[in-house]
Amino acid sequence: MDAEDERGFREFVSARSPALMRLGFLLTGGDQHAAEDLVQAALAKLASRWRRVDAPEAYTKQIMYRQQVSWWRAAGRRVEVVRGTVPDLPGRDRTHQSELRVVLRAALAKLTARQRTVLVLRYFEDLPDHEVARRLGCSVGTVRSTAHRSLARLREVAPELAEELEAAK
């Protein structure tokens, strides 16, 4: 990598790292260290191919999805993070968004890595079912059934999210 390529790569990392960390955080179910590992692994792969990549952010996200899939396919590679119970939340006020993030983080941690990945791709990245299936290397039916079961599990473990989940449909 020459000096100009290195400068371009550094600028990309500086500008897009926060967004990539948010995606990594969602994909790993709120595990900060695993999210950092996921982003670091993706950026290391991107750096080695920097000259040949036309859309670095899309390429990096694709690396992250695939890396997460390979991690949850490797049995025992990742340990789920167990969180304490979330206290009852008061009615909506100006802290509602923060409280919702805490509840959502705890609820996502109770899902499997595959369930989290499908929900992130489907609802956070807003990808259609066929695109999620293509990226994860599974059928559209698997994506739909996984999303359905994942949302049902979220409703079960965090009933306070029911209103938010209904709005997402």
Side-chain angles (χ1 to χ4, degrees):
M1 185 181 294
D2 64 18
E4 184 178 330
D5 288 337
E6 185 175 341
R7 185 181 49 77
F9 179 74
R10 287 180 185 274
E11 287 174 2
F12 170 78
V13 171
S14 177
R16 300 309 304 156
S17 284
L20 294 173
M21 276 303 298
R22 283 190 298 274
L23 177 62
F25 194 77
L26 289 170
L27 287 172
T28 60
D31 184 341
Q32 181 72 27
H33 299 292
E36 291 169 357
D37 290 345
L38 185 61
V39 172
Q40 182 178 1
L43 290 175
K45 288 182 181 180
L46 173 65
S48 67
R49 298 171 183 89
W50 180 253
R51 281 187 173 193
R52 297 174 292 213
V53 175
D54 294 327
E57 185 164 2
Y59 188 79
T60 305
K61 287 180 178 181
Q62 184 70 29
I63 293 169
M64 289 173 69
Y65 302 142
R66 290 183 177 168
Q67 185 67 48
Q68 183 65 16
V69 167
S70 70
W71 283 349
W72 48 256
R73 283 186 177 157
R77 171 94 179 186
R78 289 277 183 229
V79 177
E80 292 294 320
V81 176
V82 179
R83 307 268 188 231
T85 59
V86 178
D88 289 337
L89 299 176
R92 287 183 184 229
D93 60 7
R94 59 191 168 120
T95 62
H96 175 70
Q97 291 298 324
S98 296
E99 293 168 346
L100 184 60
R101 277 194 292 271
V102 169
V103 171
L104 184 58
R105 181 181 302 155
L108 285 173
K110 294 178 183 174
L111 299 178
T112 66
R114 181 181 194 105
Q115 289 173 324
R116 280 192 306 272
T117 302
V118 167
L119 290 181
V120 167
L121 290 173
R122 186 67 188 92
Y123 298 104
F124 182 73
E125 292 288 325
D126 200 27
L127 296 176
D129 292 335
H130 65 86
E131 181 62 21
V132 175
R134 186 187 68 75
R135 290 188 183 198
L136 297 181
C138 62
S139 70
V140 172
T142 299
V143 169
R144 289 180 181 159
S145 64
T146 301
H148 177 76
R149 284 192 307 274
S150 302
L151 290 174
R153 178 77 175 134
L154 281 178
R155 286 184 191 96
E156 178 185 311
V157 299
E160 56 272 30
L161 290 176
E163 182 180 313
E164 306 296 330
L165 290 173
E166 290 304 316
K169 277 188 172 179

